[in-house]
Amino acid sequence: MSNHSKRKEEHLALAKKYFTIKDNDFDRIELVRPALPESRVSSAAIACEILGKKVKAPFYINAMTGGSEKSKEINRAIGKASRIGQIPFATGSSSILAKEKDQLASFYVAREENPDGLFFANVNPNTPANTAKNIVQELQADALQIHINTVQELAMPEGDRDFVWIDKLKAIRDVVDVPVIIKEVGFGFDKASIELLQKNNFNLIDLGGAGGTNFAQIENARSSHPLPYLDELGLSTVKSALIAEECGIDFFASGGIRNALDILKCLVLGAKSVGIANLFLQAYENSGEDGLIETVLRFEDELAGLFALFGINNVNEAKKIKYALTKGLWKELIQIIVDD
């Protein structure tokens, strides 16, 4: 096993070790529910179109893993669950393919299981542009996530220390022929970074906010010289969503999604779709492929119920739901925006 593959296995083990369902900023959003919604539960209500493809629900299985034998089986299950659930799916970073071509199968197995589904490939910003292009082609991806993960890299013992990335992001975007999604990995987006992306003609981000998997914590657990103060960095998914909506950029929301109500809240805040990773990963770890599939289908059923409860008939109507920010969240957000 290569060092890169070994790291992927360590990430999976530590993601399980540190997985908890905990309070986060989604608890500070209060939705206004009509007592008389005059509606019926319908699975058709949550169906939508994402990046030109019709899907059954406005959430997706977000980037997790790839590049090792264990991750191959996880990606196989992800592909199958996304096919049965008719939702988009992503594999973890496939930048390893630049040096370890033999790991292609650990990623492509997801596409094999769902040949017609909406599939996102994933690379890091230091991936050579032509390599990223080849990865998109080899995986038959419909879109490309480029993850930006400075905090994780700083905590990672073997991580990068050069974070001059904007020109690299543009170089990748300019050679691939699919939509590009700039994705954080658990530390969220600030206003200045969103505006920098907009200035450089990037129009879609995945918030990857704080509140879920903490990759600083994971990398610190692997390090002989941990930087525990990095564990506390990051903007929550909720705060990032409010900032992104103000900036007028299209965004997917991810980071700390615990249930169908959190998905609905993301849609209310303006998300086009909602990514879920570790919660689905642990469903697989605890109950196998069947557990993952059951969780995806249960989330679809529960989201359809919530749509009826709030009297909305399609995803676009979610933004009509009124809400309040509680427990000082608005004050914190204003301070962040003013300081930015």
Side-chain angles (χ1 to χ4, degrees):
M1 183 185 296
S2 70
N3 288 335
H4 200 148
S5 294
K6 182 181 178 182
R7 184 167 79 240
K8 297 293 185 181
E9 300 276 318
E10 290 172 346
H11 284 171
L12 290 170
L14 291 166
K16 182 174 184 178
K17 177 181 178 180
Y18 292 124
F19 176 73
T20 58
I21 301 294
K22 56 191 176 185
D23 294 345
N24 61 33
D25 274 352
F26 286 109
D27 299 317
R28 303 167 76 185
I29 301 177
E30 185 176 306
L31 302 182
V32 179
R33 178 191 62 84
L36 289 169
E38 295 295 295
S39 59
R40 296 182 177 88
V41 176
S42 169
S43 61
I46 65 171
C48 60
E49 188 173 287
I50 300 173
L51 300 181
K53 280 197 174 184
K54 292 182 179 180
V55 295
K56 190 176 179 181
F59 64 87
Y60 57 100
I61 304 175
N62 213 349
M64 294 188 219
T65 192
S68 70
E69 282 303 310
K70 180 176 176 62
S71 63
K72 180 178 179 180
E73 294 312 308
I74 293 171
N75 281 334
R76 187 192 308 278
I78 287 172
K80 184 173 181 180
S82 66
R83 172 171 51 80
I84 292 173
Q86 299 176 50
I87 59 172
F89 62 112
T91 60
S93 174
S94 49
S95 300
I96 187 176
L97 298 178
K99 296 181 179 179
E100 299 183 38
K101 194 76 169 180
D102 60 323
Q103 291 294 344
L104 177 64
S106 70
F107 297 93
Y108 188 67
V109 66
R111 175 49 104 186
E112 288 180 321
E113 287 289 338
N114 191 356
D116 300 317
L118 178 56
F119 170 49
F120 309 151
N122 182 302
V123 298
N124 69 49
N126 288 319
T127 306
N130 284 331
T131 299
K133 179 180 179 179
N134 290 337
I135 287 171
V136 168
Q137 293 173 341
E138 289 175 338
L139 297 181
Q140 301 173 32
D142 300 291
L144 177 66
Q145 296 175 331
I146 309 177
H147 65 263
I148 52 176
N149 61 337
T150 55
V151 179
Q152 180 189 8
E153 293 290 348
L154 194 61
M156 188 188 303
E158 62 275 68
D160 293 323
R161 297 296 184 266
D162 181 350
F163 307 137
V164 182
W165 285 347
I166 195 71
D167 286 340
K168 295 176 181 179
L169 299 177
K170 290 162 62 178
I172 294 173
R173 179 199 58 201
D174 290 346
V175 300
V176 300
D177 57 0
V178 296
V180 167
I181 306 160
I182 306 300
K183 179 186 184 302
E184 244 289 356
V185 301
F187 304 96
F189 270 96
D190 60 293
K191 184 179 180 182
S193 295
I194 292 175
E195 290 175 342
L196 178 61
L197 289 171
Q198 290 175 305
K199 179 180 177 181
N200 286 278
N201 298 315
F202 291 95
N203 55 23
L204 180 59
I205 61 175
D206 183 329
L207 300 178
T213 304
N214 188 325
F215 273 99
Q217 183 183 44
I218 286 174
E219 298 299 353
N220 277 326
R222 300 179 56 246
S223 177
S224 58
H225 300 287
L227 307 174
Y229 48 84
L230 295 180
D231 294 0
E232 305 304 318
L233 295 184
L235 288 173
S236 70
T237 303
V238 169
K239 289 172 183 169
S240 294
L242 291 163
I243 292 169
E245 182 70 1
E246 181 194 298
C247 290
I249 193 169
D250 286 344
F251 66 92
F252 296 156
S254 65
I257 311 300
R258 304 161 300 182
N259 50 51
L261 183 57
D262 288 347
I263 295 174
L264 178 59
K265 288 178 178 179
C266 289
L267 300 175
V268 170
L269 295 180
K272 302 299 182 184
S273 188
V274 181
I276 304 168
N278 204 4
L279 187 146
F280 284 156
L281 175 61
Q282 299 317 314
Y284 171 84
E285 293 279 21
N286 293 329
S287 304
E289 183 180 273
D290 290 343
L292 172 59
I293 294 169
E294 186 278 329
T295 303
V296 168
L297 297 179
R298 174 169 54 83
F299 270 40
E300 290 179 348
D301 288 343
E302 292 176 359
L303 188 61
L306 286 171
F307 270 43
L309 198 65
F310 282 85
I312 60 174
N313 298 302
N314 59 66
V315 171
N316 292 331
E317 290 183 1
K319 291 183 69 174
K320 298 179 181 179
I321 296 174
K322 297 184 184 301
Y323 64 91
L325 304 181
T326 67
K327 302 177 184 176
L329 182 56
W330 179 249
K331 183 177 179 180
E332 292 175 17
L333 181 68
I334 290 296
Q335 189 62 52
I336 291 168
I337 293 174
V338 169
D339 288 346
D340 214 350

